[in-house]
Amino acid sequence: MLVATATAALWIRSLFAVTMLFSIYSLLAASLFITLDAVDVAFTEAAVGAGISTVLVLTTLARTGYRQRLRAQSVALPMTVVIVTGAVLIWGTADMPRFGDPLAPVHQHVAPRYIEDSPHEIGMPNMVTSILASYRGFDTLGETAVIFTAGVGVLALLGIRRRAPTRAQSPEDASRPSESESEHG
Amino acid sequence: MDKDEIIGVIAKLLFPFILLFALYVQFHGDFGPGGGFQAGVIFAAGIILYALAVGLEHAMALVPPALLRPLMAIGVLIYGGVGLLGMLRGGHYLNYSVLAHDPLHGQHYGILFVELGVGITVASVMLMIFYAFMARLD
């Protein structure tokens, strides 16, 4: 289903439909994460991927228009790059340990220490939270700073020129004050 | 944006529960799935739903951008402040065990406040980005 949604998103030219397909794609990915028992990741994927990013893309589309412009360039070069990269990635999975294999390297490194020690070191039932917030506290601090930086960047680029209380004072609204009055009334 | 009455009513019905669920995810994140990031995103999504269904100016009156701007930084500062507090009490930066007499309680408080900081930053940044995008529309 994931593949079908992604392929459809490639073929359809209406950007509005593509946005919706990507939203569905995120929701499907979220359910995939749930079947993999990664509930925290599924949460994030459903809220960010299917929810907020869809809304943001839609607001962008409302500004830019819904139709994709046809490009005259040949698709041969991008197609080759994508196919080669995909083939290398699939070839790489042949070396990966079987899914759920307890002897896989990822289960041999730090995971056993977390699983054995976190109940009496942190004492939290949700081990994901204790790893993210305590053992990997610096990483999460960095992530929070990244999000903050993203917000500052968007504000610096777009900005919010009119705030809700001062709406009527801004030059654009001052020319048509009766409109904003009637909305509240 | 034309407003549909049915959508408005349903959104108003759902809105408090979404915010309540976000708070639950925030403060229950150490026991169940979730945490600051997820809670912040869900909180922001709730407000965004309200803004889309009821109207942007109402949402901006409810959560004004002037309030969100300092909150973006306050979240990060709470996170860093908890780390500094651990240093003041004689531990390493971001070591929560020294925050209370019992190391387990210290970890608990530390994670609670750190997640709160993450939640505040994520929710306000997401809403700010949404407001900035919407402000470009009209």
Side-chain angles (χ1 to χ4, degrees), chain B residues 3-35:
Chain B
K3 292 173 193 92
D4 197 324
E5 202 167 320
I6 299 174
I7 293 178
V9 169
I10 298 293
K12 272 184 189 165
L13 267 178
L14 284 175
F15 174 64
F17 293 105
I18 293 178
L19 294 195
L20 187 67
F21 181 63
L23 291 178
Y24 169 79
V25 169
Q26 171 79 56
F27 294 109
H28 205 258
D30 30 0
F31 297 103

PDB file of all heavy atoms in Angstrom, chain B residues 3-35:
ATOM      1  N   LYS B   3     -16.397  29.224   5.873  1.00  0.00           N
ATOM      2  CA  LYS B   3     -16.480  28.361   7.055  1.00  0.00           C
ATOM      3  C   LYS B   3     -17.749  27.534   7.016  1.00  0.00           C
ATOM      4  O   LYS B   3     -18.848  28.067   6.893  1.00  0.00           O
ATOM      5  CB  LYS B   3     -16.419  29.213   8.314  1.00  0.00           C
ATOM      6  CG  LYS B   3     -15.055  29.826   8.461  1.00  0.00           C
ATOM      7  CD  LYS B   3     -15.021  30.807   9.602  1.00  0.00           C
ATOM      8  CE  LYS B   3     -13.770  31.615   9.507  1.00  0.00           C
ATOM      9  NZ  LYS B   3     -13.964  32.856   8.748  1.00  0.00           N
ATOM     10  N   ASP B   4     -17.585  26.241   7.129  1.00  0.00           N
ATOM     11  CA  ASP B   4     -18.708  25.331   7.171  1.00  0.00           C
ATOM     12  C   ASP B   4     -19.161  25.176   8.622  1.00  0.00           C
ATOM     13  O   ASP B   4     -18.347  24.980   9.512  1.00  0.00           O
ATOM     14  CB  ASP B   4     -18.283  23.974   6.598  1.00  0.00           C
ATOM     15  CG  ASP B   4     -19.470  23.130   6.227  1.00  0.00           C
ATOM     16  OD1 ASP B   4     -20.469  23.213   6.947  1.00  0.00           O
ATOM     17  OD2 ASP B   4     -19.390  22.409   5.225  1.00  0.00           O
ATOM     18  N   GLU B   5     -20.476  25.280   8.825  1.00  0.00           N
ATOM     19  CA  GLU B   5     -20.974  25.266  10.199  1.00  0.00           C
ATOM     20  C   GLU B   5     -20.746  23.913  10.874  1.00  0.00           C
ATOM     21  O   GLU B   5     -20.352  23.842  12.036  1.00  0.00           O
ATOM     22  CB  GLU B   5     -22.459  25.617  10.204  1.00  0.00           C
ATOM     23  CG  GLU B   5     -22.915  26.131  11.558  1.00  0.00           C
ATOM     24  CD  GLU B   5     -24.288  26.762  11.468  1.00  0.00           C
ATOM     25  OE1 GLU B   5     -24.545  27.456  10.469  1.00  0.00           O
ATOM     26  OE2 GLU B   5     -25.075  26.544  12.369  1.00  0.00           O
ATOM     27  N   ILE B   6     -20.997  22.821  10.107  1.00  0.00           N
ATOM     28  CA  ILE B   6     -20.829  21.479  10.688  1.00  0.00           C
ATOM     29  C   ILE B   6     -19.388  21.274  11.122  1.00  0.00           C
ATOM     30  O   ILE B   6     -19.102  20.835  12.248  1.00  0.00           O
ATOM     31  CB  ILE B   6     -21.236  20.407   9.659  1.00  0.00           C
ATOM     32  CG1 ILE B   6     -22.701  20.593   9.286  1.00  0.00           C
ATOM     33  CG2 ILE B   6     -20.995  19.031  10.208  1.00  0.00           C
ATOM     34  CD1 ILE B   6     -23.161  19.697   8.180  1.00  0.00           C
ATOM     35  N   ILE B   7     -18.465  21.642  10.231  1.00  0.00           N
ATOM     36  CA  ILE B   7     -17.051  21.460  10.563  1.00  0.00           C
ATOM     37  C   ILE B   7     -16.702  22.289  11.792  1.00  0.00           C
ATOM     38  O   ILE B   7     -15.997  21.824  12.690  1.00  0.00           O
ATOM     39  CB  ILE B   7     -16.176  21.860   9.356  1.00  0.00           C
ATOM     40  CG1 ILE B   7     -16.404  20.872   8.221  1.00  0.00           C
ATOM     41  CG2 ILE B   7     -14.711  21.881   9.740  1.00  0.00           C
ATOM     42  CD1 ILE B   7     -15.640  21.193   6.971  1.00  0.00           C
ATOM     43  N   GLY B   8     -17.232  23.519  11.853  1.00  0.00           N
ATOM     44  CA  GLY B   8     -16.957  24.367  13.005  1.00  0.00           C
ATOM     45  C   GLY B   8     -17.429  23.744  14.303  1.00  0.00           C
ATOM     46  O   GLY B   8     -16.699  23.718  15.294  1.00  0.00           O
ATOM     47  N   VAL B   9     -18.662  23.211  14.290  1.00  0.00           N
ATOM     48  CA  VAL B   9     -19.218  22.628  15.510  1.00  0.00           C
ATOM     49  C   VAL B   9     -18.408  21.406  15.933  1.00  0.00           C
ATOM     50  O   VAL B   9     -18.028  21.256  17.101  1.00  0.00           O
ATOM     51  CB  VAL B   9     -20.701  22.260  15.282  1.00  0.00           C
ATOM     52  CG1 VAL B   9     -21.209  21.416  16.429  1.00  0.00           C
ATOM     53  CG2 VAL B   9     -21.526  23.509  15.153  1.00  0.00           C
ATOM     54  N   ILE B  10     -18.105  20.517  14.953  1.00  0.00           N
ATOM     55  CA  ILE B  10     -17.358  19.304  15.287  1.00  0.00           C
ATOM     56  C   ILE B  10     -15.964  19.664  15.795  1.00  0.00           C
ATOM     57  O   ILE B  10     -15.468  19.092  16.773  1.00  0.00           O
ATOM     58  CB  ILE B  10     -17.250  18.385  14.045  1.00  0.00           C
ATOM     59  CG1 ILE B  10     -18.642  17.943  13.586  1.00  0.00           C
ATOM     60  CG2 ILE B  10     -16.410  17.170  14.359  1.00  0.00           C
ATOM     61  CD1 ILE B  10     -19.362  17.047  14.548  1.00  0.00           C
ATOM     62  N   ALA B  11     -15.337  20.641  15.145  1.00  0.00           N
ATOM     63  CA  ALA B  11     -13.996  21.032  15.569  1.00  0.00           C
ATOM     64  C   ALA B  11     -14.021  21.591  16.984  1.00  0.00           C
ATOM     65  O   ALA B  11     -13.157  21.280  17.809  1.00  0.00           O
ATOM     66  CB  ALA B  11     -13.421  22.068  14.609  1.00  0.00           C
ATOM     67  N   LYS B  12     -15.065  22.394  17.294  1.00  0.00           N
ATOM     68  CA  LYS B  12     -15.169  22.938  18.646  1.00  0.00           C
ATOM     69  C   LYS B  12     -15.377  21.828  19.659  1.00  0.00           C
ATOM     70  O   LYS B  12     -14.908  21.913  20.795  1.00  0.00           O
ATOM     71  CB  LYS B  12     -16.329  23.928  18.707  1.00  0.00           C
ATOM     72  CG  LYS B  12     -15.919  25.339  18.322  1.00  0.00           C
ATOM     73  CD  LYS B  12     -17.095  26.273  18.498  1.00  0.00           C
ATOM     74  CE  LYS B  12     -16.788  27.627  17.912  1.00  0.00           C
ATOM     75  NZ  LYS B  12     -18.013  28.417  17.755  1.00  0.00           N
ATOM     76  N   LEU B  13     -16.137  20.774  19.241  1.00  0.00           N
ATOM     77  CA  LEU B  13     -16.350  19.633  20.144  1.00  0.00           C
ATOM     78  C   LEU B  13     -15.041  18.908  20.398  1.00  0.00           C
ATOM     79  O   LEU B  13     -14.727  18.527  21.532  1.00  0.00           O
ATOM     80  CB  LEU B  13     -17.341  18.661  19.520  1.00  0.00           C
ATOM     81  CG  LEU B  13     -18.809  18.829  19.881  1.00  0.00           C
ATOM     82  CD1 LEU B  13     -19.632  17.807  19.115  1.00  0.00           C
ATOM     83  CD2 LEU B  13     -18.977  18.611  21.374  1.00  0.00           C
ATOM     84  N   LEU B  14     -14.264  18.686  19.330  1.00  0.00           N
ATOM     85  CA  LEU B  14     -13.047  17.882  19.447  1.00  0.00           C
ATOM     86  C   LEU B  14     -11.925  18.653  20.133  1.00  0.00           C
ATOM     87  O   LEU B  14     -11.089  18.069  20.813  1.00  0.00           O
ATOM     88  CB  LEU B  14     -12.565  17.454  18.059  1.00  0.00           C
ATOM     89  CG  LEU B  14     -13.335  16.324  17.404  1.00  0.00           C
ATOM     90  CD1 LEU B  14     -12.812  16.107  15.999  1.00  0.00           C
ATOM     91  CD2 LEU B  14     -13.185  15.048  18.207  1.00  0.00           C
ATOM     92  N   PHE B  15     -11.936  19.979  19.932  1.00  0.00           N
ATOM     93  CA  PHE B  15     -10.816  20.819  20.327  1.00  0.00           C
ATOM     94  C   PHE B  15     -10.369  20.624  21.781  1.00  0.00           C
ATOM     95  O   PHE B  15      -9.183  20.351  22.030  1.00  0.00           O
ATOM     96  CB  PHE B  15     -11.211  22.269  20.019  1.00  0.00           C
ATOM     97  CG  PHE B  15     -10.256  23.297  20.483  1.00  0.00           C
ATOM     98  CD1 PHE B  15      -8.977  23.352  19.967  1.00  0.00           C
ATOM     99  CD2 PHE B  15     -10.622  24.207  21.459  1.00  0.00           C
ATOM    100  CE1 PHE B  15      -8.097  24.319  20.394  1.00  0.00           C
ATOM    101  CE2 PHE B  15      -9.752  25.174  21.883  1.00  0.00           C
ATOM    102  CZ  PHE B  15      -8.479  25.222  21.352  1.00  0.00           C
ATOM    103  N   PRO B  16     -11.283  20.711  22.794  1.00  0.00           N
ATOM    104  CA  PRO B  16     -10.794  20.536  24.168  1.00  0.00           C
ATOM    105  C   PRO B  16     -10.210  19.157  24.416  1.00  0.00           C
ATOM    106  O   PRO B  16      -9.235  19.028  25.171  1.00  0.00           O
ATOM    107  CB  PRO B  16     -12.036  20.782  25.025  1.00  0.00           C
ATOM    108  CG  PRO B  16     -13.181  20.670  24.125  1.00  0.00           C
ATOM    109  CD  PRO B  16     -12.706  21.042  22.773  1.00  0.00           C
ATOM    110  N   PHE B  17     -10.773  18.133  23.754  1.00  0.00           N
ATOM    111  CA  PHE B  17     -10.270  16.780  23.997  1.00  0.00           C
ATOM    112  C   PHE B  17      -8.878  16.594  23.404  1.00  0.00           C
ATOM    113  O   PHE B  17      -8.052  15.899  23.971  1.00  0.00           O
ATOM    114  CB  PHE B  17     -11.247  15.750  23.424  1.00  0.00           C
ATOM    115  CG  PHE B  17     -12.551  15.734  24.146  1.00  0.00           C
ATOM    116  CD1 PHE B  17     -13.673  16.295  23.579  1.00  0.00           C
ATOM    117  CD2 PHE B  17     -12.643  15.197  25.422  1.00  0.00           C
ATOM    118  CE1 PHE B  17     -14.875  16.307  24.254  1.00  0.00           C
ATOM    119  CE2 PHE B  17     -13.839  15.205  26.107  1.00  0.00           C
ATOM    120  CZ  PHE B  17     -14.958  15.760  25.530  1.00  0.00           C
ATOM    121  N   ILE B  18      -8.634  17.240  22.259  1.00  0.00           N
ATOM    122  CA  ILE B  18      -7.301  17.151  21.661  1.00  0.00           C
ATOM    123  C   ILE B  18      -6.276  17.795  22.598  1.00  0.00           C
ATOM    124  O   ILE B  18      -5.210  17.233  22.863  1.00  0.00           O
ATOM    125  CB  ILE B  18      -7.281  17.831  20.282  1.00  0.00           C
ATOM    126  CG1 ILE B  18      -8.155  17.055  19.309  1.00  0.00           C
ATOM    127  CG2 ILE B  18      -5.871  17.903  19.744  1.00  0.00           C
ATOM    128  CD1 ILE B  18      -8.249  17.676  17.937  1.00  0.00           C
ATOM    129  N   LEU B  19      -6.631  18.964  23.145  1.00  0.00           N
ATOM    130  CA  LEU B  19      -5.698  19.635  24.059  1.00  0.00           C
ATOM    131  C   LEU B  19      -5.489  18.802  25.310  1.00  0.00           C
ATOM    132  O   LEU B  19      -4.360  18.663  25.811  1.00  0.00           O
ATOM    133  CB  LEU B  19      -6.229  21.027  24.427  1.00  0.00           C
ATOM    134  CG  LEU B  19      -6.297  22.027  23.294  1.00  0.00           C
ATOM    135  CD1 LEU B  19      -6.463  23.420  23.852  1.00  0.00           C
ATOM    136  CD2 LEU B  19      -5.060  21.964  22.426  1.00  0.00           C
ATOM    137  N   LEU B  20      -6.588  18.206  25.822  1.00  0.00           N
ATOM    138  CA  LEU B  20      -6.472  17.360  27.019  1.00  0.00           C
ATOM    139  C   LEU B  20      -5.576  16.162  26.733  1.00  0.00           C
ATOM    140  O   LEU B  20      -4.713  15.798  27.541  1.00  0.00           O
ATOM    141  CB  LEU B  20      -7.861  16.896  27.448  1.00  0.00           C
ATOM    142  CG  LEU B  20      -7.923  16.147  28.780  1.00  0.00           C
ATOM    143  CD1 LEU B  20      -7.574  17.102  29.898  1.00  0.00           C
ATOM    144  CD2 LEU B  20      -9.301  15.562  29.007  1.00  0.00           C
ATOM    145  N   PHE B  21      -5.772  15.570  25.538  1.00  0.00           N
ATOM    146  CA  PHE B  21      -4.952  14.418  25.152  1.00  0.00           C
ATOM    147  C   PHE B  21      -3.479  14.825  25.049  1.00  0.00           C
ATOM    148  O   PHE B  21      -2.594  14.076  25.472  1.00  0.00           O
ATOM    149  CB  PHE B  21      -5.451  13.859  23.821  1.00  0.00           C
ATOM    150  CG  PHE B  21      -4.689  12.652  23.363  1.00  0.00           C
ATOM    151  CD1 PHE B  21      -4.699  11.496  24.117  1.00  0.00           C
ATOM    152  CD2 PHE B  21      -3.954  12.675  22.191  1.00  0.00           C
ATOM    153  CE1 PHE B  21      -3.994  10.383  23.705  1.00  0.00           C
ATOM    154  CE2 PHE B  21      -3.249  11.577  21.777  1.00  0.00           C
ATOM    155  CZ  PHE B  21      -3.267  10.424  22.534  1.00  0.00           C
ATOM    156  N   ALA B  22      -3.242  16.037  24.519  1.00  0.00           N
ATOM    157  CA  ALA B  22      -1.859  16.508  24.422  1.00  0.00           C
ATOM    158  C   ALA B  22      -1.244  16.608  25.811  1.00  0.00           C
ATOM    159  O   ALA B  22      -0.110  16.170  26.036  1.00  0.00           O
ATOM    160  CB  ALA B  22      -1.819  17.857  23.717  1.00  0.00           C
ATOM    161  N   LEU B  23      -2.002  17.162  26.770  1.00  0.00           N
ATOM    162  CA  LEU B  23      -1.470  17.283  28.133  1.00  0.00           C
ATOM    163  C   LEU B  23      -1.226  15.906  28.735  1.00  0.00           C
ATOM    164  O   LEU B  23      -0.237  15.682  29.439  1.00  0.00           O
ATOM    165  CB  LEU B  23      -2.439  18.077  29.007  1.00  0.00           C
ATOM    166  CG  LEU B  23      -2.543  19.550  28.631  1.00  0.00           C
ATOM    167  CD1 LEU B  23      -3.560  20.239  29.520  1.00  0.00           C
ATOM    168  CD2 LEU B  23      -1.196  20.220  28.777  1.00  0.00           C
ATOM    169  N   TYR B  24      -2.144  14.962  28.431  1.00  0.00           N
ATOM    170  CA  TYR B  24      -1.971  13.593  28.931  1.00  0.00           C
ATOM    171  C   TYR B  24      -0.688  12.986  28.376  1.00  0.00           C
ATOM    172  O   TYR B  24       0.115  12.419  29.122  1.00  0.00           O
ATOM    173  CB  TYR B  24      -3.183  12.755  28.528  1.00  0.00           C
ATOM    174  CG  TYR B  24      -3.016  11.273  28.753  1.00  0.00           C
ATOM    175  CD1 TYR B  24      -3.156  10.722  30.013  1.00  0.00           C
ATOM    176  CD2 TYR B  24      -2.712  10.425  27.689  1.00  0.00           C
ATOM    177  CE1 TYR B  24      -3.001   9.372  30.212  1.00  0.00           C
ATOM    178  CE2 TYR B  24      -2.559   9.078  27.877  1.00  0.00           C
ATOM    179  CZ  TYR B  24      -2.706   8.550  29.152  1.00  0.00           C
ATOM    180  OH  TYR B  24      -2.535   7.222  29.342  1.00  0.00           O
ATOM    181  N   VAL B  25      -0.489  13.146  27.064  1.00  0.00           N
ATOM    182  CA  VAL B  25       0.722  12.604  26.436  1.00  0.00           C
ATOM    183  C   VAL B  25       1.956  13.271  27.048  1.00  0.00           C
ATOM    184  O   VAL B  25       2.978  12.637  27.293  1.00  0.00           O
ATOM    185  CB  VAL B  25       0.674  12.812  24.916  1.00  0.00           C
ATOM    186  CG1 VAL B  25       2.013  12.514  24.277  1.00  0.00           C
ATOM    187  CG2 VAL B  25      -0.376  11.932  24.303  1.00  0.00           C
ATOM    188  N   GLN B  26       1.837  14.594  27.333  1.00  0.00           N
ATOM    189  CA  GLN B  26       2.967  15.315  27.910  1.00  0.00           C
ATOM    190  C   GLN B  26       3.360  14.753  29.276  1.00  0.00           C
ATOM    191  O   GLN B  26       4.504  14.394  29.512  1.00  0.00           O
ATOM    192  CB  GLN B  26       2.592  16.792  28.040  1.00  0.00           C
ATOM    193  CG  GLN B  26       3.577  17.619  28.827  1.00  0.00           C
ATOM    194  CD  GLN B  26       4.785  17.987  27.987  1.00  0.00           C
ATOM    195  OE1 GLN B  26       4.672  18.573  26.931  1.00  0.00           O
ATOM    196  NE2 GLN B  26       5.950  17.610  28.454  1.00  0.00           N
ATOM    197  N   PHE B  27       2.375  14.656  30.166  1.00  0.00           N
ATOM    198  CA  PHE B  27       2.730  14.332  31.546  1.00  0.00           C
ATOM    199  C   PHE B  27       2.709  12.842  31.820  1.00  0.00           C
ATOM    200  O   PHE B  27       3.154  12.403  32.884  1.00  0.00           O
ATOM    201  CB  PHE B  27       1.798  15.068  32.510  1.00  0.00           C
ATOM    202  CG  PHE B  27       2.007  16.549  32.449  1.00  0.00           C
ATOM    203  CD1 PHE B  27       1.073  17.376  31.877  1.00  0.00           C
ATOM    204  CD2 PHE B  27       3.175  17.094  32.938  1.00  0.00           C
ATOM    205  CE1 PHE B  27       1.296  18.740  31.802  1.00  0.00           C
ATOM    206  CE2 PHE B  27       3.399  18.447  32.867  1.00  0.00           C
ATOM    207  CZ  PHE B  27       2.462  19.269  32.295  1.00  0.00           C
ATOM    208  N   HIS B  28       2.181  12.063  30.890  1.00  0.00           N
ATOM    209  CA  HIS B  28       2.168  10.618  31.082  1.00  0.00           C
ATOM    210  C   HIS B  28       3.257   9.975  30.243  1.00  0.00           C
ATOM    211  O   HIS B  28       3.353   8.763  30.167  1.00  0.00           O
ATOM    212  CB  HIS B  28       0.790  10.057  30.683  1.00  0.00           C
ATOM    213  CG  HIS B  28       0.458   8.781  31.349  1.00  0.00           C
ATOM    214  ND1 HIS B  28       0.561   7.578  30.719  1.00  0.00           N
ATOM    215  CD2 HIS B  28       0.045   8.502  32.602  1.00  0.00           C
ATOM    216  CE1 HIS B  28       0.226   6.614  31.553  1.00  0.00           C
ATOM    217  NE2 HIS B  28      -0.088   7.152  32.697  1.00  0.00           N
ATOM    218  N   GLY B  29       4.091  10.804  29.601  1.00  0.00           N
ATOM    219  CA  GLY B  29       5.082  10.283  28.670  1.00  0.00           C
ATOM    220  C   GLY B  29       6.092   9.363  29.319  1.00  0.00           C
ATOM    221  O   GLY B  29       6.683   8.526  28.643  1.00  0.00           O
ATOM    222  N   ASP B  30       6.304   9.505  30.643  1.00  0.00           N
ATOM    223  CA  ASP B  30       7.271   8.622  31.284  1.00  0.00           C
ATOM    224  C   ASP B  30       6.664   7.268  31.608  1.00  0.00           C
ATOM    225  O   ASP B  30       7.376   6.340  31.961  1.00  0.00           O
ATOM    226  CB  ASP B  30       7.863   9.264  32.538  1.00  0.00           C
ATOM    227  CG  ASP B  30       6.894  10.203  33.205  1.00  0.00           C
ATOM    228  OD1 ASP B  30       5.774  10.332  32.684  1.00  0.00           O
ATOM    229  OD2 ASP B  30       7.249  10.787  34.232  1.00  0.00           O
ATOM    230  N   PHE B  31       5.330   7.136  31.513  1.00  0.00           N
ATOM    231  CA  PHE B  31       4.718   5.836  31.801  1.00  0.00           C
ATOM    232  C   PHE B  31       4.233   5.162  30.531  1.00  0.00           C
ATOM    233  O   PHE B  31       4.373   3.965  30.377  1.00  0.00           O
ATOM    234  CB  PHE B  31       3.555   6.008  32.768  1.00  0.00           C
ATOM    235  CG  PHE B  31       3.981   6.549  34.093  1.00  0.00           C
ATOM    236  CD1 PHE B  31       3.763   7.874  34.415  1.00  0.00           C
ATOM    237  CD2 PHE B  31       4.645   5.753  34.997  1.00  0.00           C
ATOM    238  CE1 PHE B  31       4.181   8.384  35.618  1.00  0.00           C
ATOM    239  CE2 PHE B  31       5.065   6.255  36.202  1.00  0.00           C
ATOM    240  CZ  PHE B  31       4.843   7.575  36.530  1.00  0.00           C
ATOM    241  N   GLY B  32       3.626   5.942  29.658  1.00  0.00           N
ATOM    242  CA  GLY B  32       3.126   5.381  28.408  1.00  0.00           C
ATOM    243  C   GLY B  32       3.886   5.966  27.244  1.00  0.00           C
ATOM    244  O   GLY B  32       4.834   6.730  27.437  1.00  0.00           O
ATOM    245  N   PRO B  33       3.473   5.623  26.029  1.00  0.00           N
ATOM    246  CA  PRO B  33       4.146   6.207  24.873  1.00  0.00           C
ATOM    247  C   PRO B  33       3.902   7.709  24.803  1.00  0.00           C
ATOM    248  O   PRO B  33       2.873   8.198  25.259  1.00  0.00           O
ATOM    249  CB  PRO B  33       3.489   5.499  23.692  1.00  0.00           C
ATOM    250  CG  PRO B  33       2.218   4.984  24.209  1.00  0.00           C
ATOM    251  CD  PRO B  33       2.433   4.692  25.648  1.00  0.00           C
ATOM    252  N   GLY B  34       4.841   8.414  24.246  1.00  0.00           N
ATOM    253  CA  GLY B  34       4.688   9.858  24.100  1.00  0.00           C
ATOM    254  C   GLY B  34       5.794  10.603  24.808  1.00  0.00           C
ATOM    255  O   GLY B  34       6.782  10.018  25.229  1.00  0.00           O
ATOM    256  N   GLY B  35       5.607  11.877  24.948  1.00  0.00           N
ATOM    257  CA  GLY B  35       6.623  12.729  25.548  1.00  0.00           C
ATOM    258  C   GLY B  35       6.443  14.138  25.047  1.00  0.00           C
ATOM    259  O   GLY B  35       5.422  14.455  24.432  1.00  0.00           O
TER     260      GLY B  35
END
